[in-house]
Amino acid sequence: MSFKDSNDDGYGDLRGVIQKLDYLEWLGVDYLWISPFYKTPFKDNGYDVSDYLSVDDRFGTKNDFLDLLKKSKKRNIKIIMDLVFNHTSTEHIWFKKWINGESEYKDFYISKYSNNKPPNNWKSKFGGSAWKEYKKDNWYLCLFDKTQADLNWENPNVRKKLYEVIKYYVDLGVQGFRFDVINLISKTQYKNDYISYGKKYYTNGYKFHKFLEEIRTHLPKNNQFLSIAELSSTDIKNTIQSTNQKKTELDCAFIFCHLKIDYKNNDKFAYKEPNMKKFNKTLARWFSKCYEKGSLVGFLNNHDQPRSVSRFIKKEYHQIGSKMLFALISLLPGHTCIYQGEEIAMTNGDFANITDFLDIETVNYLKANNYVKIPKGVLQKSRDNSRTPMQWNNDIYSGFSKLLPWIKVNQNYANKNVFKQKQDPDSTLNFYKEFIDFLKKDDVLNYGSLFFHRFRKNIISYSRIWNNTKYHCLFNLSSKNVKYNFNGEVMKSNYNQCISNMIKPYQFLVIRK
Ligand code: TEU
């Protein structure tokens, strides 16, 4: 959507991705996860699919997609499709046939009878009730937008149709899937829930692992194929099971606990400074417990999250701090996922008007609360922050498109762009490239065990150990010098000069012992 627009209509597209494959290869990308580009009414940026088997006109054609597969293969980049299987758009033909009562589509969606009011008090993740009345006293479940109806996974015919989608893309040569909110697919009890408003019943439901096992049987057996579970509000036990080493379910998982450190009482849009102690504690707990028995993907950015530099680093330190954040997350065991623009330290959008916000979750929130001015928490955490166009150069609209893009370009593009950073040996971009190369080749990082140390003085510290080699990794999460003694050979740092009893603002060090 926001990566590269090849036909200057203001929307990123598949041809745009093809144009930038050389760049991705240069950077060292192995797998490329692309957000949904299926046919969509676009209420939730493509996560509302109206036909899984066709490409939306906005994004190109099936031929463009086949070309992308061919050209990425030449560069050894594997394509990961985003499978949105918890729900479809209400524009999907399945939904239309279901609502018309066609027998083949009987029980395709989750529907309950309830007199005059929703069947229970579950809340949608985008605000309001999780139910929509479609005919007098009949309601369908929609955990996200009203136009995203939850599929009924209990129905084998639904699963059969979804496995046909998997087969279609595997046959085309896709080499991985990211399964959107896959731990929400098993729902069986529909009781009122006065604490978590439904989460307790629809998250990691009792058939969830059975369904994952079934999905697995439809995935290719080759070990290059990568399946990723997006796990919403989950726990360690279920995460381990979903990504167990016997590979009976999926290969690895995205979890979000480490990114909820600036939520105030679970309220995303209430403004709160991130709590770094909690950040450390969450990373330590999750990664230490999951890395041997299961597998987590390390990431700090995606299309739903605010930009990590804006979130964690004071403005004057964005360049140095962006390198520290990447080191912090990528030196942990497991795959690392980078989100477009992170490699040049792109920041949150510079939105000035309430009408600049487009994301459905944000817009619903603003409307529900009758905001006329942008609240601080929305500036801080709206999903639009990460969706601004990729900053390629300092041409008009940051080189993303020649036409006004679908979402506002961040005005810092003139100074912060790929073209400029490529020429600067000290840039975030060149750091990412060099660091990715280092990560791939290093045995300690690829196979080593993990040991987290105590968090003190704003320093996160952990060790990676393999055979007789130990890497002590230190990260200063603050903008202050911190007195801290360390010894050993400094292998990597984001500062040229290192002093053995001081860790500089946002400095990181990998020390070999
Ligand atoms: O997101 C799942 C999800 O629950 C969150 O990350 C969501 O963005 C959060 O509730 C916001 O506070 C996935 C997709 O990544 C997201 O873009 C979709 O909107 C959502 O599923 C529905 O398909």
Side-chain angles (χ1 to χ4, degrees):
M1 266 307 283
S2 294
F3 190 58
K4 174 72 188 154
D5 176 12
S6 71
N7 60 349
D8 295 319
D9 64 355
Y11 293 97
D13 48 44
L14 293 172
R15 289 251 149 244
V17 180
I18 295 174
Q19 285 176 8
K20 295 297 179 185
L21 282 174
D22 286 341
Y23 167 74
L24 297 171
E25 184 186 20
W26 170 83
L27 189 60
V29 169
D30 296 319
Y31 288 85
L32 180 65
W33 156 31
I34 313 177
S35 280
F37 47 85
Y38 318 98
K39 224 172 201 15
T40 172
F42 215 64
K43 298 280 190 238
D44 182 22
N45 278 43
Y47 284 88
D48 47 325
V49 179
S50 58
D51 180 359
Y52 291 104
L53 303 184
S54 56
V55 175
D56 196 274
D57 293 345
R58 256 188 211 89
F59 305 123
T61 61
K62 181 169 173 191
N63 270 340
D64 295 339
F65 180 53
L66 294 178
D67 206 26
L68 171 65
L69 283 170
K70 202 168 87 198
K71 292 188 168 139
S72 53
K73 195 168 178 193
K74 269 199 196 135
R75 292 163 175 86
N76 223 352
I77 296 175
K78 300 172 190 67
I79 301 293
I80 298 185
M81 296 283 287
D82 201 326
L83 294 179
V84 191
F85 279 180
N86 176 66
H87 43 265
T88 73
S89 162
T90 50
E91 295 289 305
H92 200 292
I93 190 78
W94 302 345
F95 187 84
K96 291 181 177 166
K97 291 192 170 181
W98 169 74
I99 225 161
N100 283 338
E102 289 193 24
S103 58
E104 202 192 327
Y105 292 88
K106 188 173 180 297
D107 296 332
F108 248 58
Y109 293 86
I110 296 169
S111 165
K112 296 277 167 238
Y113 178 86
S114 175
N115 205 265
N116 281 327
K117 59 174 196 343
N120 61 28
N121 71 344
W122 293 9
K123 281 187 184 162
S124 144
K125 295 196 184 257
F126 293 162
S129 165
W131 298 92
K132 163 102 178 123
E133 190 174 27
Y134 61 98
K135 84 180 176 213
K136 177 86 183 107
D137 296 335
N138 285 276
W139 307 72
Y140 67 80
L141 182 70
C142 43
L143 293 181
F144 292 88
D145 184 44
K146 298 279 178 263
T147 65
Q148 290 164 297
D150 281 54
L151 284 160
N152 178 15
W153 272 71
E154 292 293 314
N155 179 347
N157 295 332
V158 168
R159 307 207 298 279
K160 194 168 154 254
K161 284 269 190 212
L162 295 174
Y163 300 146
E164 281 167 20
V165 176
I166 289 185
K167 181 167 184 328
Y168 177 83
Y169 286 107
V170 168
D171 289 350
L172 288 183
V174 154
Q175 300 253 36
F177 292 124
R178 173 230 185 226
F179 290 89
D180 190 64
V181 288
I182 199 67
N183 62 329
L184 308 187
I185 57 180
S186 168
K187 299 126 187 154
T188 38
Q189 279 186 303
Y190 295 90
K191 295 183 185 162
N192 279 324
D193 170 9
Y194 296 98
I195 294 167
S196 62
Y197 300 98
K199 266 189 194 168
K200 178 175 151 192
Y201 294 110
Y202 64 69
T203 308
N204 302 325
Y206 96 114
K207 278 200 190 155
F208 163 52
H209 295 291
K210 270 207 151 19
F211 290 153
L212 281 192
E213 283 172 4
E214 196 177 277
I215 291 176
R216 182 89 202 186
T217 64
H218 293 270
L219 301 180
K221 304 254 174 314
N222 82 69
N223 55 14
Q224 295 278 294
F225 195 93
L226 193 62
S227 55
I228 315 171
E230 191 207 25
L231 302 179
S232 170
S233 305
T234 189
D235 56 29
I236 290 180
K237 188 171 152 266
N238 277 290
T239 303
I240 290 177
Q241 197 177 334
S242 313
T243 60
N244 68 73
Q245 294 293 297
K246 286 191 192 137
K247 300 266 178 250
T248 55
E249 298 186 21
L250 300 186
D251 294 325
C252 49
F254 287 119
I255 55 106
F256 298 90
C257 303
H258 62 300
L259 297 174
K260 293 197 173 160
I261 33 73
D262 46 12
Y263 284 27
K264 203 174 185 173
N265 307 324
N266 255 331
D267 178 359
K268 169 171 169 169
F269 287 125
Y271 181 84
K272 189 175 180 256
E273 287 293 323
N275 176 339
M276 298 323 277
K277 197 173 173 186
K278 196 170 163 201
F279 182 59
N280 173 75
K281 198 174 155 192
T282 318
L283 281 180
R285 242 187 98 228
W286 278 81
F287 276 86
S288 307
K289 293 205 167 156
C290 291
Y291 85 97
E292 275 171 328
K293 297 180 186 149
S295 180
L296 296 179
V297 182
F299 76 101
L300 295 174
N301 295 271
N302 73 19
H303 64 291
D304 295 331
Q305 296 293 326
R307 292 284 182 180
S308 61
V309 281
S310 302
R311 200 169 198 175
F312 298 114
I313 312 286
K314 290 220 166 89
K315 198 170 174 198
E316 57 276 32
Y317 292 104
H318 276 182
Q319 181 168 334
I320 204 91
S322 59
K323 299 176 187 174
M324 181 276 291
L325 289 178
F326 183 48
L328 168 66
I329 204 72
S330 65
L331 290 164
L332 290 166
H335 295 287
T336 307
C337 184
I338 301 170
Y339 174 68
Q340 61 185 46
E342 170 186 338
E343 75 279 19
I344 55 167
M346 272 178 66
T347 57
N348 278 349
D350 50 356
F351 304 114
N353 301 308
I354 217 142
T355 48
D356 289 339
F357 290 95
L358 304 175
D359 163 44
I360 187 157
E361 180 192 39
T362 311
V363 171
N364 286 354
Y365 174 79
L366 292 170
K367 276 193 192 149
N369 295 285
N370 297 316
Y371 281 114
V372 281
K373 280 206 332 225
I374 312 169
K376 227 173 142 190
V378 166
L379 279 176
Q380 185 193 32
K381 280 180 240 122
S382 167
R383 304 197 299 178
D384 284 322
N385 280 312
S386 56
R387 298 175 180 185
T388 63
M390 180 70 188
Q391 297 169 196
W392 292 107
N393 53 44
N394 63 9
D395 291 350
I396 187 161
Y397 305 130
S398 67
F400 163 74
S401 175
K402 292 198 178 72
L403 191 87
L404 182 71
W406 69 280
I407 190 167
K408 202 172 163 233
V409 178
N410 191 317
Q411 285 314 299
N412 64 17
Y413 78 88
N415 273 315
K416 190 171 269 199
N417 60 59
V418 170
F419 182 79
K420 199 167 167 196
Q421 289 201 16
K422 258 199 170 177
Q423 293 158 44
D424 172 6
D426 210 28
S427 66
T428 301
L429 180 60
N430 279 312
F431 173 83
Y432 264 68
K433 176 178 164 52
E434 188 239 347
F435 209 69
I436 290 170
D437 191 51
F438 161 68
L439 294 167
K440 283 188 191 172
K441 292 179 184 151
D442 194 284
D443 281 354
V444 179
L445 299 174
N446 280 311
Y447 311 111
S449 59
L450 171 72
F451 182 78
F452 257 88
H453 305 282
R454 200 158 60 86
F455 183 71
R456 56 186 181 104
K457 305 182 195 170
N458 274 316
I459 305 290
I460 290 187
S461 126
Y462 57 77
S463 298
R464 298 292 313 271
I465 305 159
W466 176 247
N467 288 337
N468 290 323
T469 313
K470 175 170 170 177
Y471 292 170
H472 188 192
C473 308
L474 293 162
F475 311 87
N476 184 353
L477 276 288
S478 78
S479 56
K480 299 199 175 67
N481 281 318
V482 176
K483 275 200 162 21
Y484 199 105
N485 289 320
F486 59 87
N487 50 53
E489 174 209 344
V490 175
M491 282 181 68
K492 292 277 168 201
S493 179
N494 49 348
Y495 279 79
N496 291 329
Q497 308 282 318
C498 302
I499 320 167
S500 63
N501 61 358
M502 180 78 78
I503 308 186
K504 296 176 191 169
Y506 301 114
Q507 182 171 21
F508 88 86
L509 297 136
V510 180
I511 299 155
R512 190 194 178 108
K513 293 195 173 182

